[in-house]
Amino acid sequence: MIQSLLIANRGEIACRIIRTARAMGIRTVAVYSDADAKALHVRQADEAVHIGASPARESYLVGEKIIAAALAIGAEAIHPGYGFLSENAEFAQAVIDAGLIWVGPRPASITAMGLKDAAKTLMAAAGVPVTPGYMGENQDPAFLADRAAEIGYPVLIKAVAGGGGKGMRKVEAVANFADALASCQREATASFGNAHVLIEKYIQRPRHIEVQIFGDTHGNIVHLFERDCSLQRRHQKVIEEAPAPGMDAATREILCAAAVKAAKAVDYVGAGTIEFIADASEGLRADRIWFMEMNTRLQVEHPVTEEITGVDLVEWQLRVASGEALPKRQEELSINGWAMEARLYAEDPAKGFLPSVGRLEGFRLSSYECRVETGYEEGDWVSPFYDPMIAKIVVHSASREETADRLSSACASALVWPVRTNSSFLSRGAAEPEFVAGQVDTGFIERHELNLCTRRGPDEKTLQIGISEVLKRVEQPDLDKRAMRDRRFAIDLHGLRLNSNRKNAHWIAVDGRALELSPNYKGGTAWNIEYVGESGVLVSDDDGQLVHFDVARTDGSAHGPASSGTILSPMPGRIIAVEVAQGQTVTKGQKLLTLEAMKMEHSLIAPFGGVVAELNAVAGAQVQVEALLARIQPVEQT
Ligand code: ADP
Ligand code: ADP
Ligand code: MG
């Protein structure tokens, strides 16, 4: 067995690999960039090596530095995780040439499956049904347009070197073909350095179904059943599950046999995934499922397979890399229950999925029974350098319905602040009747996008008034700690309900007093309140949207709409100019300050005329998203 392992990755997958390696008694070595110096994977590993600057191309993508780190620290093997260098055959070969163990397939298998056109040609020759289309050498636009016409619209143009949902264009009609082709080629060149494309029939009512396969160096290959990853946004997976809804035993057998055949065709060793696209317009039928591509690595969504099979896939990877035979034979593997995974992203669905970065002042994901895979803890920073996926929430139970229900609850209960997440988007998605009924396809999110993304609940002003009321009640002697323990209370105010009961109660301390409030009140509009820091209260609603409320600024003297005049930083950035002074009278639309963020300048203006009652912005200062920069008080109230 391998004695020491370097993990050439970061975030949740690095932590995930460390966990299993440690349980197996393997010494773990993390690598990290500048931005990750204090990251969780570094804290969790036995040792850690700095490999470069924050941008991935200067650290996590530099193979030589990673190999040098492994040799210098005496690590015996390298696990690449997913993304980064995991599907880079040259890196795999360099690891082997350096005398290290590569935890992954043979470089030749990676190469064979690396380009989508070559992989499809290989699979077709091996007798695996492939998505109909053109996958040849000729890249002449007129020739490709003829092939598209032959295949029949709609078609999908795909970069052969594409990945992560990039480099794809759906074309509805011949009139749009030339433009789509040119733009796809541009993106392919920019992202993958390869303009080559293939043309595929766009499958109707498409479902993404993939099969987990596993091979060892003794010639054994098994499958660990299928996953359904049809819930996608812009061709990127959002919620995955196993098994696939509506898959009957006979269809499963044919599909999984095709996957094993595909893996055998490339002498596959280690964990891999064969991705298929299914035409589900008449349910899942074996003759309407086609090979799409193979991912020669561990997949992001591997936990759902682990949940239903009871297999630790990372353990299997390490055993196979050590030369052992697969721990189980095909007939020893079976499906138990249902599992789902949701990808929690640091992004704001209400703002067009704008990435959200900053310090995780609040980060609590495990109040429901679920498996959480994350690379972050409260107090950690989400940096703008890497993938915005900050956690995976995984649920397993006996039935699909129960699993969906629990996934929805687990996502809704995620408390993340002030970084925005897609938690409510995920929670609503898992609760959508169509999803619960198992009617999934890749168009699901687009069909429901409006409902999934719209922020609900009263505005901040209503909320602030409500909280000041709560705080007033806290002042009342009958609502002290002891009394709270014995009673429930609810305040109805402006249609806002603030609830407390004993179930799942949290204590919050406000000015030295304890107040117990329910984080999970179900029914009506419930507000979940938590104490944060010295004077703040963190409030979330059923949708998981959070508002930070500063107790110190709320004396309960019902001033009213203080919030509408609050100027919050819309994103993390730097203040480059402050145009006003405290106490100054300003007119509606007057420029207050300039914020530089994401390489652009943004002017923040007065929402109405009034007085600058508060000014926290200082030129040159870095600010976090939603930092209170200034507050304008309407003239009539001053
Ligand atoms: P899968 O096919 O397994 O769902 P993707 O095709 O989405 O995975 O590719 C994996 C993606 O994960 C890459 O595009 C990369 O941007 C991202 N990624 C790589 N490393 C990490 C990491 N440590 N944490 C989160 N995301 C990562
Ligand atoms: P990537 O390498 O980016 O993962 P894939 O070839 O796996 O590229 O395709 C990504 C997603 O695009 C699939 O999961 C599916 O939702 C959609 N897709 C791919 N091919 C087709 C097709 N022929 N018809 C309909 N949808 C497709
Ligand atoms: Mg894919």
Side-chain angles (χ1 to χ4, degrees), residues 9-10 82-84 237 295 297 299-301 343 387:
N9 214 304
R10 63 176 306 281
Y82 55 73
F84 295 139
K237 300 160 187 169
N295 292 328
R297 55 173 161 89
Q299 204 94 339
V300 173
E301 57 275 20
R343 300 188 187 195
D387 196 282

Side-chain angles (χ1 to χ4, degrees), residues 116 131 156 158 162-166 168 200-203 206 208 232 235 275 277 292-293 442:
K116 292 183 203 289
T131 319
L156 196 62
K158 272 189 196 178
K166 274 212 192 107
M168 273 195 278
E200 260 176 21
K201 172 97 193 136
Y202 187 84
I203 304 302
H208 174 118
Q232 303 184 348
H235 306 301
E275 295 190 333
I277 190 93
M292 195 161 53
E293 66 161 346
T442 63

Side-chain angles (χ1 to χ4, degrees), residues 237-547:
K237 300 160 187 169
V238 177
I239 293 180
E240 303 102 340
E241 62 183 298
M247 175 79 76
D248 61 58
T251 307
R252 171 173 298 128
E253 209 170 301
I254 295 169
L255 181 73
C256 293
V260 169
K261 195 195 268 182
K264 284 197 168 142
V266 290
D267 292 326
Y268 202 77
V269 172
T273 295
I274 315 287
E275 295 190 333
F276 295 90
I277 190 93
D279 171 345
S281 51
E282 290 170 44
L284 288 180
R285 288 175 34 174
D287 60 347
R288 293 198 189 164
I289 305 182
W290 301 276
F291 172 88
M292 195 161 53
E293 66 161 346
M294 178 172 191
N295 292 328
T296 51
R297 55 173 161 89
L298 189 67
Q299 204 94 339
V300 173
E301 57 275 20
H302 75 275
V304 293
T305 298
E306 296 187 321
E307 293 297 322
I308 61 157
T309 59
V311 168
D312 180 329
L313 292 172
V314 175
E315 180 189 334
W316 278 32
Q317 284 189 298
L318 296 171
R319 291 196 180 285
V320 165
S322 301
E324 292 183 17
L326 290 177
K328 285 191 174 177
R329 291 191 310 269
Q330 190 66 62
E331 52 286 8
E332 293 172 303
L333 291 161
S334 59
I335 297 175
N336 168 28
W338 216 286
M340 289 180 184
E341 172 188 279
R343 300 188 187 195
L344 189 74
Y345 281 93
E347 64 185 12
D348 190 350
K351 286 186 190 159
F353 295 88
L354 186 76
S356 176
V357 298
R359 187 166 186 266
L360 292 164
E361 306 284 351
F363 189 65
R364 294 175 212 172
L365 304 182
S366 45
S367 48
Y368 268 77
E369 217 179 290
C370 60
R371 167 175 168 185
V372 173
E373 295 290 350
T374 182
Y376 298 87
E377 282 179 337
E378 206 161 88
D380 287 346
W381 289 81
V382 179
S383 92
F385 294 105
Y386 314 108
D387 196 282
M389 189 178 81
I390 54 172
K392 302 187 302 205
I393 296 172
V394 186
V395 168
H396 178 219
S397 62
S399 73
R400 187 175 184 279
E401 212 165 90
E402 188 189 341
T403 304
D405 183 52
R406 283 177 43 196
L407 183 71
S408 178
S409 299
C411 292
S413 76
L415 278 175
V416 184
W417 175 82
V419 171
R420 292 275 173 191
T421 74
N422 62 342
S423 61
S424 66
F425 172 85
L426 295 171
S427 170
R428 289 185 210 158
E432 243 333 299
E434 217 179 283
F435 176 77
V436 176
Q439 287 158 11
V440 291
D441 64 81
T442 63
F444 176 91
I445 287 180
E446 214 174 299
R447 283 200 297 281
H448 298 282
E449 186 138 352
L450 192 65
N451 177 35
L452 299 178
C453 294
T454 312
R455 206 176 273 170
R456 295 173 197 157
D459 58 18
E460 203 180 327
K461 168 191 156 188
T462 314
L463 204 51
Q464 278 195 326
I465 296 171
I467 297 191
S468 70
E469 280 304 308
V470 167
L471 296 176
K472 268 193 242 162
R473 305 288 168 102
V474 183
E475 296 300 315
Q476 291 168 15
D478 66 323
L479 278 176
D480 67 11
K481 194 169 169 175
R482 194 172 199 90
M484 282 303 306
R485 209 178 286 146
D486 301 328
R487 76 171 72 184
R488 307 160 120 256
F489 85 109
I491 301 168
D492 269 301
L493 187 89
H494 300 276
L496 171 75
R497 253 168 99 78
L498 292 152
N499 295 285
S500 172
N501 62 32
R502 293 166 58 191
K503 210 172 127 228
N504 297 319
H506 274 193
W507 288 105
I508 66 160
V510 180
D511 295 336
R513 283 164 188 271
L515 172 61
E516 193 181 46
L517 289 161
S518 163
N520 305 315
Y521 182 79
K522 285 253 166 202
T525 310
W527 299 96
N528 313 314
I529 305 186
E530 279 194 66
Y531 174 67
V532 186
E534 278 300 296
S535 62
V537 183
L538 183 61
V539 182
S540 68
D541 61 12
D542 276 352
D543 289 334
Q545 298 296 341
L546 304 178
V547 174

